[in-house]
Amino acid sequence: MIEEPEHDPNVPDLNKPWCRKCMAHTRYSKKAVAGGREGSPEVVYSFCKECGQSVWAPKHCPEKSWHVLCIFSAGFIILGLLIAIIGRGDILILGYGFIIIGPLLYIQTMKHEIKPKRETKKVWLAWARERGYTGN
């Protein structure tokens, strides 16, 4: 019996989560990793059932979020510098805090959220092009 192409894990699909380690659209499970108490929203990640690694649908991998992250980080740094230059007394601590928070925000968000997803999309795109995919 011929398998339907939509169920074949080797057929590229932007909307289906893809496992970078297994190099296929594998079965996955969702797991809440944070939140969900006292009215806070849950943070839910999808994990490959074969290897346990995080999976993302290439369509949902961030393209423009890096720019937003840069703007927020630069905003904290600039605001901190302005407070440090103009401020007097206890407000200086806030300015120095903003100067420190800007780079920390950038590093942590880039390291744990944006970079892994961008790398996954890049690898997925190479994998998909080997299978005849022509999109971006």
Side-chain angles (χ1 to χ4, degrees):
M1 180 174 203
I2 298 174
E3 190 172 307
E4 294 179 27
E6 62 190 14
H7 298 296
D8 185 359
N10 291 315
V11 174
D13 187 348
L14 276 172
N15 298 310
K16 289 184 181 177
W18 186 78
C19 178
R20 187 173 174 184
K21 187 174 181 183
C22 298
M23 300 289 279
H25 292 286
T26 60
R27 294 182 305 132
Y28 63 96
S29 61
K30 293 186 179 216
K31 179 180 174 186
V33 294
R37 292 190 183 169
E38 300 174 16
S40 64
E42 284 187 339
V43 177
V44 179
Y45 283 167
S46 299
F47 294 94
C48 175
K49 285 189 175 182
E50 305 295 322
C51 68
Q53 186 170 342
S54 294
V55 294
W56 292 287
K59 181 178 182 179
H60 302 293
C61 292
E63 295 290 331
K64 296 180 182 176
S65 57
W66 181 77
H67 299 291
V68 174
L69 175 63
C70 288
I71 291 169
F72 271 109
S73 297
F76 274 113
I77 294 169
I78 292 168
L79 183 60
L81 289 172
L82 287 173
I83 292 172
I85 292 169
I86 298 170
R88 301 273 186 256
D90 290 340
I91 196 84
L92 289 174
I93 295 171
L94 179 65
Y96 295 138
F98 281 160
I99 292 170
I100 292 170
I101 287 172
L104 289 177
L105 169 74
Y106 179 84
I107 290 167
Q108 288 300 314
T109 307
M110 191 67 171
K111 180 180 176 184
H112 296 292
E113 290 293 325
I114 297 173
K115 188 177 178 185
K117 291 178 183 177
R118 290 177 79 185
E119 288 175 353
T120 297
K121 184 164 185 179
K122 185 178 177 182
V123 173
W124 178 86
L125 197 54
W127 173 84
R129 287 199 173 127
E130 288 176 359
R131 285 154 182 78
Y133 181 77
T134 57
N136 294 347

